[in-house]
């Protein structure tokens, strides 16, 4: 179960990196205004960096056998906050679900959030034992 | 039948349970104060300054003094205003989380590390948003925002370092 949840997290991270790269490079995504477009681009840039950095730190710590509980905790909290920001505030500004990649990200996001939360709690349980 | 009688005898009465629970402080200011007094003076200083900053932020928000400095004032985008409201709420939830950790004197360092990273995300995305939306030559809003955010981040970092030092000294003893 833990391996499946970890696999879901990796797949989602790959999808997000691909989508955000597309948002930054493509002109097919059309937000409501120029200001919204800048907001979309800025948040996409920051989030790419968060996902890439989070993934790198997690992989590095996992590979070197260091404690993962705190790293996963921080990443889970940030993931939930970004989810709330997107769905409560930015939904009308940013996407644009016509693209298959955007649809894939939106569909898999709740599963990812459950998976990453499960992985975090499981990791805390393992480290506490 | 005999077993039932013995289990009934060993079961504490409601009055006894109430008396036991009344001794457990779930959330009273005395516990926060006790935890703070166990820490160094620098820890206490950081916490008090963070609380004062929060208080002044709330006062600034409700008096409308912050409004001209917010990104939504320059972009006229609803999303900017709503984003600020949401982050405002998350900020208070984080303060509540930090206070609960201090109250119970448990997991203070991990909780504040989590808060620090979330705050860093808010700070970086907020600064970038202001840089991109401010009219040219208006550096006051950006400077004020950056100074406040950086102060909060430095105070958080200081709290984490102080907590780490406290635990290291505790283990040495």
């Amino acid at each position: 179960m833990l391996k499946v949840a970890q696999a879901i997290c990796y797949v989602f991270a790959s999808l997000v990196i691909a989508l955000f790269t597309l948002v930054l490079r493509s002109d097919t995504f059309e937000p409501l205004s120029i200001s919204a477009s800048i907001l979309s681009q800025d948040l996409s840039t920051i989030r790419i960096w968060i996902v890439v950095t989070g993934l790198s730190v997690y992989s590095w710590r996992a590979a070197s056998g260091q404690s993962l509980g705190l790293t996963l905790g921080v990443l889970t909290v940030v993931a939930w906050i970004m989810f709330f920001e997107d769905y409560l505030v930015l939904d009308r500004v940013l996407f644009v679900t016509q693209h298959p990649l955007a649809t894939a990200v939106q569909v898999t996001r709740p599963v990812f959030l459950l998976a990453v939360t499960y992985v975090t709690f499981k990791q805390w349980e393992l480290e506490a034992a | 039948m005999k077993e039932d009688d013995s289990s009934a005898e060993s079961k504490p009465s409601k009055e006894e349970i109430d008396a036991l629970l009344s001794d457990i402080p779930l959330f009273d200011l005395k516990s926060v104060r006790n935890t703070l007094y166990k820490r160094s003076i620098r820890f206490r200083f950081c916490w008090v300054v963070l609380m004062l900053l929060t208080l002044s932020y709330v006062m600034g928000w409700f008096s409308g003094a912050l409004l001209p400095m917010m990104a939504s004032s320059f972009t006229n985008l609803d999303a900017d205003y709503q984003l600020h409201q949401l982050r405002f709420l998350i900020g208070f939830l984080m303060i509540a989380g930090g206070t609960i950790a201090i109250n119970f004197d448990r997991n203070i360092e991990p909780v504040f590390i989590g808060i620090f990273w979330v705050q860093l995300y808010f700070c970086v995305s907020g600064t970038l948003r202001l840089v991109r939306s401010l009219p040219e030559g208006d550096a006051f809003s950006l400077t004020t925002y950056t100074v406040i955010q950086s102060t909060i981040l430095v105070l958080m970092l200081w709290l984490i370092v102080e907590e780490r030092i406290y635990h290291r000294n505790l283990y040495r003893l």
Side-chain angles (χ1 to χ4, degrees):
Chain A
M1 185 70 179
L2 184 64
K3 295 282 176 199
V4 175
Q6 283 172 331
I8 291 171
C9 295
Y10 277 115
V11 168
F12 183 79
S14 317
L15 282 175
V16 165
I17 292 170
L19 175 69
F20 283 164
T21 314
L22 201 71
V23 169
L24 292 180
R25 287 183 174 273
S26 164
D27 54 356
T28 54
F29 291 91
E30 292 171 3
L32 296 176
S33 65
I34 295 170
S35 186
S37 167
I38 293 170
L39 178 64
S40 163
Q41 280 185 346
D42 289 349
L43 280 175
S44 300
T45 311
I46 291 166
R47 285 167 183 199
I48 280 187
W49 280 108
I50 290 173
V51 173
V52 170
T53 311
L55 208 58
S56 313
V57 171
Y58 175 77
S59 307
W60 174 64
R61 289 183 78 90
S64 58
Q66 293 181 54
S67 164
L68 288 166
L70 190 58
T71 311
L72 275 169
V74 169
L75 290 173
T76 306
V77 169
V78 173
W80 275 102
I81 286 173
M82 286 199 252
F83 172 76
F84 287 132
E85 282 183 352
D86 284 354
Y87 278 82
L88 292 177
V89 179
L90 303 168
D91 200 24
R92 282 181 301 132
V93 181
L94 299 181
F95 297 83
V96 200
T97 50
Q98 289 90 338
H99 199 281
L101 206 53
T103 313
V105 167
Q106 287 205 327
V107 168
T108 52
R109 197 170 192 184
V111 184
F112 157 73
L113 286 167
L114 288 177
V116 79
T117 309
Y118 172 77
V119 172
T120 304
F121 278 101
K122 198 74 190 167
Q123 190 65 39
W124 286 347
E125 201 181 296
L126 289 172
E127 285 178 16
Chain B
M1 196 66 189
K2 205 174 180 180
E3 271 179 24
D4 285 350
D5 286 348
S6 64
S7 65
E9 277 172 18
S10 61
K11 202 175 170 185
S13 65
K14 192 179 177 301
E15 288 76 24
E16 284 172 323
I17 294 170
D18 288 343
L20 286 169
L21 287 176
S22 65
D23 290 338
I24 302 170
L26 275 178
F27 196 86
D28 62 340
L29 281 172
K30 205 177 158 190
S31 302
V32 173
R33 198 171 57 192
N34 282 346
T35 310
L36 287 177
Y37 275 115
K38 281 185 210 166
R39 299 315 192 266
S40 66
I41 196 156
R42 291 176 295 276
F43 187 97
R44 271 178 273 163
F45 169 77
C46 289
W47 180 250
V48 169
V49 175
L50 272 173
M51 288 298 109
L52 286 176
L53 273 174
T54 311
L55 193 67
S56 54
Y57 196 80
V58 175
M59 286 163 70
W61 168 258
F62 285 109
S63 66
L66 282 178
L67 216 58
M69 284 188 269
M70 283 164 53
S72 57
S73 305
F74 305 108
T75 60
N76 293 320
L77 202 64
D78 282 345
D80 277 319
Y81 188 74
Q82 289 167 349
L83 200 61
H84 180 265
Q85 283 182 312
L86 183 68
R87 288 180 175 187
F88 192 78
L89 178 69
I90 292 170
F92 274 94
L93 289 177
M94 293 196 299
I95 289 169
T99 312
I100 289 168
I102 288 181
N103 183 67
F104 289 102
D105 199 357
R106 287 190 68 183
N107 297 324
I108 295 177
E109 194 187 323
V111 166
F112 277 96
I113 289 175
I115 294 174
F116 172 82
W117 284 107
V118 174
Q119 183 64 29
L120 187 67
Y121 165 63
F122 288 169
C123 178
V124 172
S125 56
T127 307
L128 195 63
R129 184 68 184 143
L130 267 183
V131 168
R132 300 265 270 168
S133 57
L134 273 177
E136 272 186 39
D138 188 355
F140 177 73
S141 302
L142 181 65
T143 314
T144 313
Y145 179 85
T146 315
V147 166
I148 292 171
Q149 292 290 328
S150 308
T151 310
I152 293 171
L153 284 175
V154 169
L155 287 169
M156 299 284 306
L157 208 59
W158 203 359
L159 269 182
I160 294 163
V161 171
E162 285 298 324
E163 182 63 12
R164 195 165 283 188
I165 291 170
Y166 170 76
H167 277 281
R168 205 168 49 202
N169 292 340
L170 215 60
Y171 285 128
R172 273 186 197 158
L173 291 171

